[in-house]
Amino acid sequence: MFKLSPKEDKFFELFSQSTEIITKSLKRLYGIMQQECVSSEDAAQMHRFENEADNITTQILERLNCTFITPLDREDIYELAQVLDDIVDFAEGTVERMLLYRTGKPSLGAQELVHLVELAAEQIQQAFSYLGNLHSKKSNILAAAEEIYHLESAGDKLYREEVARLFEYEKDPIEIIKWKEILEHIESTLDHCESIADLLKSVVLKYD
């Protein structure tokens, strides 16, 4: 039976905190996408999320350096910690670009793309909540990973449609440049969620 000591449990507690921040940051990003414009306070809030995520990642890596026996392979813990932290970086980067470029209210397509990332973040949080009971919750983790793949596929399609719409209906070339970069950044965030799903599947199969 796969059993964890209290010391080992701390890694999963930190992963839980990390995924909670991811979910909060993406939920806030989706809210920002409904606004007419981005404020400096919106950007500051996302930066606070990013700092929180960095702090948790640092705690995971410090614990990794001083723990002799770990519940997962050390390289798996390291890689999972890094990819989780990157999601919040992507979310902050989206808001930062919108503020710097002084964009107006995003299109419905851009809003929906962020909504897909938000849903993927919820699946990530759910999958990581099962990681401490990896064997008994294997099917739950794999189901969450499959849902992330589905969301990423839907996001790819939506991204292509939104870029096509941008070129067809937007007459200002500067606006096209701005929004194409922002859309690419959001789509890259969703791609990164898919990478997390890949890692989760790899971990599940390794300890099967």
Side-chain angles (χ1 to χ4, degrees):
M1 179 64 66
F2 190 82
K3 188 171 177 62
L4 303 173
S5 70
K7 186 174 185 180
E8 291 173 331
D9 278 335
K10 185 64 177 178
F11 284 107
F12 298 105
E13 180 185 327
L14 290 168
F15 278 143
S16 177
Q17 292 174 24
S18 181
T19 57
E20 182 179 356
I21 291 172
I22 288 171
T23 303
K24 286 195 300 185
S25 67
L26 266 299
K27 184 179 180 64
R28 182 67 195 110
L29 177 58
Y30 184 57
I32 290 170
M33 297 294 284
Q34 318 300 309
Q35 301 172 182
E36 295 298 327
C37 62
V38 175
S39 69
S40 56
E41 176 51 36
D42 292 328
Q45 184 179 29
M46 295 302 290
H47 186 62
R48 288 192 291 272
F49 283 139
E50 195 270 338
N51 282 339
E52 287 181 54
D54 280 349
N55 180 54
I56 292 170
T57 301
T58 298
Q59 290 183 58
I60 293 172
L61 299 183
E62 288 177 347
R63 178 167 289 272
L64 192 60
N65 287 333
C66 64
T67 303
F68 182 67
I69 300 174
T70 56
L72 303 173
D73 284 351
R74 306 179 77 85
E75 61 267 25
D76 291 330
I77 293 174
Y78 179 85
E79 197 164 3
L80 287 168
Q82 294 289 355
V83 294
L84 287 176
D85 184 64
D86 289 343
I87 293 290
V88 185
D89 289 341
F90 274 111
E92 183 194 19
T94 298
V95 174
E96 196 174 63
R97 283 165 172 77
M98 291 172 68
L99 179 65
L100 288 172
Y101 300 162
R102 299 182 181 180
T103 60
K105 187 174 182 178
S107 66
L108 291 177
Q111 293 174 31
E112 180 57 24
L113 190 58
V114 169
H115 183 51
L116 292 176
V117 184
E118 181 189 10
L119 293 175
E122 291 174 0
Q123 291 298 319
I124 289 169
Q125 184 175 18
Q126 192 169 55
F128 272 82
S129 73
Y130 299 130
L131 205 55
N133 300 297
L134 195 151
H135 287 300
S136 63
K137 296 295 184 179
K138 169 186 172 182
S139 62
N140 302 82
I141 297 171
L142 293 177
E146 288 303 318
E147 181 59 23
I148 293 169
Y149 293 144
H150 172 75
L151 291 166
E152 194 278 333
S153 179
D156 275 349
K157 182 174 182 293
L158 181 58
Y159 165 75
R160 291 192 297 269
E161 291 173 349
E162 191 59 20
V163 170
R165 186 206 63 79
L166 188 64
F167 279 103
E168 183 175 359
Y169 295 106
E170 180 56 62
K171 305 306 179 186
D172 186 344
I174 301 300
E175 288 299 308
I176 292 174
I177 292 169
K178 289 179 182 178
W179 280 109
K180 188 173 184 297
E181 181 179 338
I182 292 167
L183 288 168
E184 286 175 349
H185 197 73
I186 298 169
E187 201 267 340
S188 293
T189 311
L190 202 47
D191 286 344
H192 204 72
C193 291
E194 183 182 38
S195 296
I196 293 176
D198 288 339
L199 277 172
L200 286 168
K201 284 187 70 174
S202 175
V203 168
V204 167
L205 293 174
K206 181 184 291 187
Y207 297 94
D208 189 11

